Amino acid sequence: MATLAEPQAASTDDAFREEVRAFIEKNFPPELKGKGNALASVEGPTQEGPAEKAWREAMGARGWGVPTWPKEYGGGGLTRKQAHILNEEMAKAGAYNPIGGMGVMMFGPTLLEYGSEEQKREHIPPIARGEIRWCQGYSEPNAGSDLANLQTFAEDKGDHYLVNGQKTWTSGGQWADKCFAIVRTDRSDKHNGISFMLIDMKDPGVEVRPIQMISGMSPFCETFFTDVKVPKKNLVGKEGQGWTIGKRLLQHERTNLSGGGSMARLMGNALSDIAKKYLETDENGELADKVMRDRIADFEIRWQSFLLTAKRAVEESKAAGGVSEISSVLKKLGTKLGQERAELLIEIQGLQGLGWEGEGFSDSELSGVRAWLFGKATTIYGGSTEIQNNIIAKRVLGMLDHQ
Amino acid sequence: MATLAEPQAASTDDAFREEVRAFIEKNFPPELKGKGNALASVEGPTQEGPAEKAWREAMGARGWGVPTWPKEYGGGGLTRKQAHILNEEMAKAGAYNPIGGMGVMMFGPTLLEYGSEEQKREHIPPIARGEIRWCQGYSEPNAGSDLANLQTFAEDKGDHYLVNGQKTWTSGGQWADKCFAIVRTDRSDKHNGISFMLIDMKDPGVEVRPIQMISGMSPFCETFFTDVKVPKKNLVGKEGQGWTIGKRLLQHERTNLSGGGSMARLMGNALSDIAKKYLETDENGELADKVMRDRIADFEIRWQSFLLTAKRAVEESKAAGGVSEISSVLKKLGTKLGQERAELLIEIQGLQGLGWEGEGFSDSELSGVRAWLFGKATTIYGGSTEIQNNIIAKRVLGMLDHQ
Amino acid sequence: MAILNEEQEMLRDMARNWTTSESPVAAWRKVRSEKPVEGYSPDAWKTMAEMGWAGIVIPEPFGGSEFGWLSAGLVVEELGKTLTASPLVATTLAASAIVLGGSDEQKGKWLPKLASGERVGTLAFDEGPRHDGRYSAKVEGGKLTGTKAFVHEAHGATLFVVAAADGLYLVEKGDGVSLSDRKLTDQRSHAEVTFNGAAAEKLTGGGDTLLDDVLDRARILTAAEMLGMAQQVFDVTLDYLKQRVQFNQVLASFQALQHRMADLFGDLAMMRSAVEGGLEALDSGFGIARAATVAKAEANRVLHTMSREGIQLHGGIGMTDEYDVGFYLKRARVLEASWGSTSYLRNRFATLAGY
Amino acid sequence: MAILNEEQEMLRDMARNWTTSESPVAAWRKVRSEKPVEGYSPDAWKTMAEMGWAGIVIPEPFGGSEFGWLSAGLVVEELGKTLTASPLVATTLAASAIVLGGSDEQKGKWLPKLASGERVGTLAFDEGPRHDGRYSAKVEGGKLTGTKAFVHEAHGATLFVVAAADGLYLVEKGDGVSLSDRKLTDQRSHAEVTFNGAAAEKLTGGGDTLLDDVLDRARILTAAEMLGMAQQVFDVTLDYLKQRVQFNQVLASFQALQHRMADLFGDLAMMRSAVEGGLEALDSGFGIARAATVAKAEANRVLHTMSREGIQLHGGIGMTDEYDVGFYLKRARVLEASWGSTSYLRNRFATLAGY
């Protein structure tokens, strides 16, 4: 079938591609080739050396760390097509986007939509330059998946709120500069009594205790707020709009957890490549263990089908405008497949794939084990699979609860 | 470890074994070797020839068709151990128990527990002799798994009830002589308004319409009762006790559906034997398709484990006395495994395993397809798997509904 | 759902309107009881051909519309939804073999007749009860000899594309061709076809991969039919759960059932992506073999579960012949076993990926 | 639960009382942080030995109680419930190898010391990261050379039962035996053990099947530990669901969770039957190989699911080191990979059954 070509757009794209290549050539420090994005990692920050700093600043100055965000707030102002080209060229050159994290993935898009002009001018540019780390203040000890049960209270004191309460599962709370939080401003209204506000983690009264996870790492904290003063200008939207804004942000989170961000990071090399390293092959170069080969193919076929689904969701939501309800489906499917992959990986490696520390294990084996354990959280946080199932059944399929 | 031997019991058992052998030798017609039990089949009756009749009558005279039932009502009066010996010897000789069906599996044990002396004397002996076919009148069009919603009404007319209403899923209703039914005697009380009564299928006002199933067979009927007169002596237990008696009967049904009866009938030869007939083997005599071999072993290991569970349930309920709550677990597991086996069987045979009728298929291939389709009902009737899950969660695990 | 162009939307709507009003499942029930020799209603097939469906993948110079595979898939999906019995898939596949491997002369001779529906074509490949890629049929002096098992739409077909040991051949119904019924549980047309020195013409084009290329198309188009079936089972089951009341509640309000439907919805999304990915690969010409494997493997996996759950969630009435849902189960297993079982396809996927 | 005799009930109650009061999961946390060189608390092991547990399968003449395998399994199951770190399983298996294959002299020399807990024994069989039944270690002139991977309880053991190419050998810790830590995710004792011309004594009894007979015991006893773990995960998860309130309801009232627990309950029932079936087969002497395969395969399958679902059903807190449930997940995978993965065991089952 014939495809309608757009010659002018194509030549503009070619020019842009050239521009990107030249930029990378000039600015990307070759010693960083193949390294990942430190700031974006939920596992904790790594030290930023001079090369990393130079690369982040170069990208930040262009706004290319957040390529599709508006130029006026420090974004790249690129089209999706151009952003795609930018990614392609970085991948070719072994470069990476040094700017990420929750500010980029969740908070930024939400603030661009709901924030005031003043708030955007204050908060978006530092995110675009990768200077500020944000953390999420959502969950509470008795309000995990059930956010309507929030207890943290912000008392109206005229020009500021006085915030008291406890949050938990604050991702990277110990390294964060600021926190976007949902807090209760009205105890008489479960849903409409919630507001969305920005809290400085360096303020007096903010205390943080890391939570040790089964993976041995502590990427999350308990965060305690005791008489923390939050200026009124840090309220996003109106009082009582926190539920709406908060849920919107979760949609961005889900999209990231499944479609692109975390999932892709969790994936790495194809399972079959790893299997060929650990298992015997026969005279045809096939894995000799036909049962394991069948199981790997089973996984990879479904993984392929998941990637096609993520792509389709993007196309459809572009066609329909806005984030689609299918984000629940993607979150559910992607996290399940990620866990399956981690389990298969262990099985492929045998006991060699279960190393905890010390001699006898490669770095990638050790980090595979930690990722396997940490990955068990992916079906719990960001709205557990059970919550996604409720959302799909009720909102998408219209299966209503007993009235 | 030493096992305590019981020399006297053992010698009695040996003597009994000799008695059984002699009985079979004398009474079992050799031409019936390897044939199954016609009367017990839910798929419908087959014609009884002179040899079948003679064998049934010989077994019936001894009460060995219902070996553990009391002698006074025509049962065998045997111990469980003796009944086991009887089965073993019949199996060795290629003989079978010619007496079965719902009367034996469900109704008989229930009547022995709840019936009056008069009712037992009237109904148990014909069942023990295999002369009477019973069917079950439980489900209604709007009361499938939800029996409390029963509509069929029995109006008290002094010396009899006048029954009106509609039953469905009446197993073998078109071939049955009598029906044990639960009917409503009080509209004001959902559970306590139900009674258990016996209805003659030849009575005026009883009409039966076979239901065609997806397997092409019609083992069930819709049964219509229009002003059917049921004498008061046919009420089992007291008025309002139908719910209790009816549920007890279902426990017997579940035990039969999973443990011994239907499941074993569904099973037949080991999957691996069939696979060796249909699939290639390698130079070691192993199935050449290692993936299919793995899947068959997966199934057979779990089947083994299920059989051990059924055996354990019998031992435990014997130790505890009475039918155990584990009948729900067995019903759920056994029917699921039976369906899995049928699906695997089809896959082993490829399209040859999907024949419907006509040339090109063996009898066992054709009956395998019908059994695969009919077997889909096993997780629906006798209390669906969903109902069993509710029972397990609530009654066994104490997970209570929201109050 | 893939993003469609105007032409594709029109085609899909046309197919949907026709199946809904002219060929609902009741039409299949009629075929089943009247047992026409072809295994489908000749009138319905005539109408379908008149609507141009038989020529969707055939180039315009040869009488087709050349709308492409995504378009063909859209129509086949709709037919799958109502279980419309027709030789459309078989004929499309036979035509594609000629498009890929035929000489100009062969194309000129056969494609217009296939496009118009005058001829029904089908693939006669497998020689055993499962697709295993082994073909022993032999051709000597232009005469083909061999037996093909479970040929789809064999009763209506007058042109067979036959896989012999050395390539694909065209054989017309006639001398040396005989059929023996193989009535499968879906009660559609299947037969063992014996070629006993039947006149055969080789498809010499298409290169070494011709056989595989045709098989990829068979996998993808079959998967499209399966997609329609799975979608329909899901939709009617969801409707049923919303209507049926038990324990004074609609079944749809039971959380255990809600979560199972959510699982099925996720599976269905993956199946749709895989199938549409296959169709789009055919239209773009890139990565067809891999996409075909993924499409059919996912179709097998999801329709298997969907057809089983459809019955279970309907409860007892789903077991009756009076309800439609059982038909989907029976047809599902036949298509699942055609052109590659799940395990065959996984093997192929691994081979294509080099492990 | 199998029907127990009085002696077995007593033993189980004793084990249950001891683990509950003296060796709850907190004891394991203490071992984990204090890191004793053996990988377990020597005091706890001393107590266990004093209670006679090390001699349960050792004949009375050699200092054991000969209570049998079901009894041993009951104790090991209780240890599994609280994740008690101990060399009981390893020592029992080493002892069973000597019982089956040792000469009278070897039995007299070693069994009393194993029964009393003076010596800790272990099996040093596998040479790679997965159990594959291949052993290349060689013995020449009474000196054994070879490297064994991931030996359980290697740090505390002073007597190794080593699988060499031509049979099983006893090797004492000492000259020619060196350890290299292999800290696995369960943080228990595992090491690579290198034998470099270490003095070795062959176990000449037990016939051709000695190696397999010992492996069957390893599978069954390991499965018993896994049974305890699965039972415990199930119990604490059920308790948690009954207490935790969300959306103003206890989690136990959500039907989707009820049905998942019902599934797990069914799986647990099957696992228990399979494991007890294995133990009973050892005591009766019939059908051991098959029963061992079923026991470990079912233990692998069910504990895999149970440990995964345990975390998921606990939600976020299940992911924290502060809660116990994560320990079971980590230990589960180590035991799952020991003495035969599920796929290895299916292969063995099929071979035993002749297909």
Side-chain angles (χ1 to χ4, degrees), chain B residues 266-279 281 287 292-304 336-349 368, chain C residues 130, chain D residues 290 349-350 353-355:
Chain B
L266 280 172
M267 284 303 161
N269 291 330
L271 264 187
S272 51
D273 290 342
I274 302 174
K276 281 179 106 166
K277 219 178 92 185
Y278 282 89
L279 300 172
T281 50
L287 293 173
M292 183 50 88
R293 180 171 174 264
D294 175 78
R295 291 174 62 202
I296 293 172
D298 172 31
F299 172 80
E300 295 208 328
I301 286 170
R302 286 180 294 123
W303 180 244
Q304 194 60 33
K336 176 172 174 286
L337 284 165
Q339 290 181 351
E340 252 190 74
R341 181 184 187 281
E343 292 282 4
L344 256 177
L345 185 59
I346 284 175
E347 214 177 318
I348 287 168
Q349 300 176 322
Chain C
R130 59 187 71 74
Chain D
R290 182 184 167 102
F349 184 91
Y355 62 94

Side-chain angles (χ1 to χ4, degrees), chain A residues 141 145-146 169 212-214 279-280 343 348-349 351-352 354 356-357 359 372-373 379-380 386, chain D residues 129-130 134 150 180-181 183-185 187 244 246-247 260 304 312 316-317 319-321 330 333:
Chain A
S145 291
D146 178 16
W169 305 122
Q212 194 185 345
M213 303 295 280
I214 58 172
L279 300 173
E280 288 169 35
E343 292 281 4
I348 287 168
Q349 301 175 322
L351 288 167
Q352 192 66 34
L354 285 166
W356 185 248
E357 62 191 11
E359 54 191 325
W372 159 64
L373 287 167
T379 49
I380 296 169
E386 289 76 16
Chain D
R130 59 186 72 74
R134 289 186 240 171
F150 303 105
S180 166
D181 285 353
K183 186 65 87 185
L184 295 176
T185 187
Q187 297 178 272
R244 171 83 176 174
Q246 221 167 44
F247 303 107
R260 275 159 74 177
H304 188 101
Q312 181 69 21
I317 60 153
M319 287 295 300
T320 63
D321 189 78
K330 297 187 216 180
R333 294 299 176 279

Side-chain angles (χ1 to χ4, degrees), chain D residues 145-173:
Chain D
T145 298
T147 299
K148 297 295 178 175
F150 303 105
V151 175
H152 293 253
E153 306 302 341
H155 296 86
T158 55
L159 181 66
F160 297 91
V161 178
V162 186
D166 68 334
L168 299 186
Y169 287 82
L170 296 177
V171 179
E172 282 190 76
K173 187 176 181 177

Side-chain angles (χ1 to χ4, degrees), chain D residues 229-248:
Chain D
M229 294 167 62
Q231 180 73 54
Q232 185 69 8
V233 171
F234 183 82
D235 289 345
V236 301
T237 302
L238 183 59
D239 279 351
Y240 177 77
L241 294 177
K242 287 181 180 176
Q243 278 153 29
R244 171 83 176 174
V245 173
Q246 221 167 44
F247 303 107
N248 297 319

Side-chain angles (χ1 to χ4, degrees), chain B residues 201-212:
Chain B
M201 295 294 280
K202 270 118 200 147
D203 273 350
V206 179
E207 195 194 335
V208 156
R209 279 187 218 149
I211 303 169
Q212 194 185 345

